[in-house]
Amino acid sequence: MNGRFGQSGNPGGGLLVAGTTSDAGKSVVTAGICRWLVRQGVKVAPFKAQNMSLNSFVTREGAEIGRAQAMQAAAARVEPTALMNPVLLKPGGERSSQVVLLGKPVGELSARGYHAGRQEELFGTVTDCLAELRRTHDAVICEGAGSPAEINLRRSDIVNMGIARAARLPVVVVGDIDRGGVFASFFGTTALLSREDQALVAGYLVNKFRGDVTLLEPGLEMLKQLTGRPTLGVLPYAHGLGIDEEDGLRVSLRGAVRESVVAPPVGADVLRVAVCAVPLMSNFTDVDALAAEPGVVVRFVDRAEELADADLVVLPGTRGTVRALAWLRERGLADAVARRAAEGRPVLGICGGFQMLGERIEDEVESKAGTVAGLGLLPVRVRFAPDKTLARPVGTALGEPVEGYEIHHGVAEVSGGEAFLSDDRGRSLDGCRAGSVWGTHWHGSLESDGFRRAFLRRVAADAGRAFVPAPDTRFGALREEQLDRLGDLIEEHADTDALLRLIEKGVPTGLPFVPPGAPRLSPATSAHAELTEREPQRCSPCPAHPRGCGENDATVAQHKTDDASDHSNSLERGAP
């Protein structure tokens, strides 16, 4: 039985946060609502049915999910699981993505192949995962993707109105007023939905507002008259809301937590970090912990001359190691990095960046390019394996404890240098160091405060900088402060009573239709729409559950994990 919103045998409360566009603020609002609810004593979980992102995270059970959902789980103060992001798409180019189902990769698909039927095959998995979360939590706050008014994709939608209709979730639409046109965006988003979809849209949230909110009120009232739906809050523009994003080029904690005017360098010098913005860059959040340090200036670069004044150059992770390596060579960055290494100036490679620093890459998996020469700066040879390594390792480096997570196909054979990361007996666990060049497969290692400070001291010494790391920077505490700021935004600027009613009582009745609505559904679409109207389905019999899971019960997490191979087979048959 759920504590606050659920009744015995019934699912917990729920809400879908949709957006007028990508980057409207769905992730921020979802995290803010989660943090606000958990502070009210509500057991809450985040959920995103389908996520497209190169920024991912590994859960404790070894499942890969989007970093945004891991961040939202932290906001909800719960452990992230694969149930919170059952489908993750990791782009490998403009037209194809790796499909990660329940935390495990199951194949590559083109965009056309995915939307031409494979996406709908995952619908039962997605609804089961949401039902399981609702069964075990008081409330589940779901995040949509892009816009619910992408009418070209409505037939195969499993993340916006598709999941909202399946679970009868009220929908709140977020709009970014800083971009302009927010009233037209709210109205147009609603008016392009079908009558059935519109019946779930319960209100709007304005995001990133600057100025006097009273000047906005006449427009909000007119919007209510036009759509019959209230605006449930106007969230102010808040500088430096540094949270883990799906994609984009920004350092999320730089300037958000420790701006230079607030926290000057502890020593005489600043430390300049240049991150090479390689194609298909993944998990660029690795440098957030560096940017959180007073006196550390982090910037992304794509030209060789921008490395000249850098004290540390970082080659980050990438979904396309061979492609990124070619890009470095084409732009002269490879030669610039090699010159740095020859001069004894610090270079750090993380995951794909580590692989590029080695002598040779054998890739018949990711790029299928065969054998490719690396930069030759570390005594490492890399072979891409079909199976992906997903792990949450711990170890030591520079005499300090380190935690991280691994997401890679590349297997490194180290033939020299010094170990980067070791176990408590000094045995090598991962990575390599040769002179001032460092490499590791571990993401997130710089979030370990003691190691980060020791590493920055070593970098400063090699770079000849009088930089001193702050003794009291605690990255985990800074993230908690950011999540609390998100909760404060909701508590102070949203109609929390109205949000609670939606979460607890569901979709309001009598919401008016805003013409013209979506075009009439095709027969295939109608069948999918009919499916989404049904009650949560009874789990199919399987070895773990020979009689199914019972009326309206969700499949348990272990059952879904065991069943992933069945879904993966159908996906792989459709891979290009």
Side-chain angles (χ1 to χ4, degrees):
M1 178 174 177
N2 295 310
R4 175 141 185 188
F5 297 130
Q7 302 296 323
S8 180
N10 292 331
L15 180 73
L16 175 70
V17 178
T20 56
T21 62
S22 295
D23 201 32
K26 298 183 292 291
S27 295
V28 170
V29 169
T30 300
I33 294 175
C34 285
R35 177 48 60 100
W36 161 67
L37 282 173
V38 78
R39 293 195 307 207
Q40 311 307 307
V42 177
K43 184 181 180 183
V44 59
F47 177 80
K48 186 163 185 174
Q50 171 195 297
N51 196 350
M52 177 173 281
S53 178
L54 288 172
N55 284 335
S56 58
F57 182 76
V58 179
T59 67
R60 294 205 179 277
E61 67 267 27
E64 185 180 8
I65 65 172
R67 277 199 69 98
Q69 280 60 67
M71 174 274 298
Q72 291 160 357
R77 295 179 179 146
V78 295
E79 189 68 31
T81 73
L83 292 173
M84 297 172 184
N85 180 205
V87 181
L88 173 63
L89 305 178
K90 302 194 73 174
E94 294 183 0
R95 296 188 177 183
S96 68
S97 293
Q98 182 182 67
V99 181
V100 179
L101 177 62
L102 290 168
K104 304 298 180 184
V106 295
E108 296 274 340
L109 275 180
S110 68
R112 181 179 295 275
Y114 184 66
H115 288 286
R118 297 295 183 261
Q119 190 175 32
E120 292 180 64
E121 293 178 11
L122 302 176
F123 194 70
T125 299
V126 164
T127 54
D128 283 348
C129 289
L130 175 56
E132 175 66 9
L133 286 174
R134 295 183 77 185
R135 186 184 69 80
T136 55
H137 293 78
D138 297 331
V140 178
I141 307 303
C142 307
E143 180 187 345
S147 164
E150 291 168 353
I151 54 178
N152 57 314
L153 302 177
R154 178 60 184 93
R155 182 184 69 81
S156 57
D157 169 44
I158 65 173
V159 64
N160 288 308
M161 303 313 297
I163 194 69
R165 284 175 68 173
R168 297 300 300 170
L169 294 172
V171 178
V172 174
V173 181
V174 178
D176 179 358
I177 197 171
D178 196 51
R179 294 183 175 185
V182 73
F183 293 118
S185 298
F186 283 143
F187 181 86
T189 296
T190 307
L192 277 176
L193 300 179
S194 69
R195 186 180 297 273
E196 295 80 7
D197 286 350
Q198 284 191 28
L200 302 177
V201 177
Y204 311 109
L205 266 173
V206 176
N207 192 29
K208 301 181 185 178
F209 179 72
R210 307 172 191 251
D212 185 351
V213 72
T214 62
L215 299 177
L216 198 63
E217 290 172 354
L220 301 179
E221 182 57 35
M222 285 186 277
L223 180 67
K224 184 176 182 179
Q225 293 173 7
L226 287 167
T227 66
R229 292 158 173 85
T231 297
L232 303 177
V234 177
L235 308 182
Y237 192 104
H239 291 278
L241 282 179
I243 62 169
D244 295 343
E245 298 182 298
E246 292 179 1
D247 282 303
L249 272 183
R250 78 180 200 143
V251 184
S252 58
L253 285 181
R254 176 183 168 202
V257 182
R258 297 291 181 99
E259 294 185 275
S260 58
V261 294
V262 176
V266 174
D269 287 344
V270 299
L271 206 65
R272 296 174 176 85
V273 179
V275 184
C276 294
V278 297
L280 299 175
M281 182 167 54
S282 62
N283 288 70
F284 55 82
T285 49
D286 282 330
V287 299
D288 284 354
L290 295 179
E293 286 284 350
V296 176
V297 179
V298 179
R299 67 183 188 274
F300 290 98
V301 303
D302 59 6
R303 299 193 302 270
E305 58 268 27
E306 293 178 298
L307 304 188
D309 66 344
D311 302 305
L312 171 67
V313 169
V314 177
L315 300 185
T318 172
R319 173 81 165 85
T321 301
V322 171
R323 176 178 169 182
L325 186 55
W327 180 88
L328 289 175
R329 289 180 166 132
E330 290 166 3
R331 291 177 169 261
L333 285 159
D335 289 338
V337 171
R339 286 194 297 271
R340 290 183 59 87
E343 296 166 359
R345 302 171 67 194
V347 176
L348 171 64
I350 302 174
C351 199
F354 168 42
Q355 296 165 5
M356 288 186 276
L357 290 172
E359 299 170 348
R360 187 178 71 193
I361 298 171
E362 298 177 17
D363 182 10
E364 299 293 348
V365 176
E366 190 175 77
S367 68
K368 298 179 173 61
T371 300
V372 177
L375 296 180
L377 302 180
L378 288 176
V380 175
R381 295 183 178 184
V382 175
R383 176 183 54 82
F384 274 63
D387 295 333
K388 181 185 285 190
T389 297
L390 297 169
R392 289 276 294 272
V394 296
T396 62
L398 299 178
E400 299 287 347
V402 183
E403 296 184 14
Y405 57 99
E406 295 183 71
I407 308 171
H408 55 91
H409 283 278
V411 178
E413 178 186 334
V414 179
S415 59
E418 301 177 23
F420 191 156
L421 294 140
S422 305
D423 62 17
D424 55 5
R425 296 183 180 180
R427 294 174 299 192
S428 176
L429 290 176
D430 179 78
C432 180
R433 177 198 168 200
S436 62
V437 181
W438 310 65
T440 176
H441 272 130
W442 290 18
H443 294 288
S445 62
L446 292 167
E447 296 178 18
S448 298
D449 297 328
F451 165 68
R452 182 181 64 254
R453 286 191 280 268
F455 178 70
L456 289 176
R457 283 192 292 269
R458 185 69 61 88
V459 167
D462 288 346
R465 292 285 185 184
F467 170 84
V468 179
D472 57 349
T473 302
R474 294 189 301 127
F475 187 73
L478 296 178
R479 274 196 164 155
E480 274 296 298
E481 290 175 13
Q482 295 299 83
L483 295 173
D484 275 331
R485 289 184 64 197
L486 298 182
D488 293 343
L489 281 177
I490 298 299
E491 186 170 350
E492 296 169 9
H493 300 282
D495 185 343
T496 53
D497 289 339
L499 289 175
L500 279 174
R501 284 195 298 272
L502 291 176
I503 294 168
E504 182 175 8
K505 300 184 180 301
V507 183
T509 59
L511 292 169
F513 173 69
V514 180
R520 178 175 292 275
L521 297 174
S522 67
T525 308
S526 299
H528 180 62
E530 181 181 350
L531 173 64
T532 66
E533 293 288 358
R534 298 175 186 167
E535 291 296 317
Q537 299 177 48
R538 185 182 178 93
C539 173
S540 301
C542 68
H545 300 78
R547 290 187 296 275
C549 294
E551 188 68 39
N552 290 338
D553 280 353
T555 313
V556 298
Q558 184 60 50
H559 174 203
K560 296 311 302 175
T561 302
D562 293 342
D563 195 43
S565 59
D566 294 335
H567 293 283
S568 69
N569 291 335
S570 63
L571 282 166
E572 289 170 336
R573 283 197 298 270

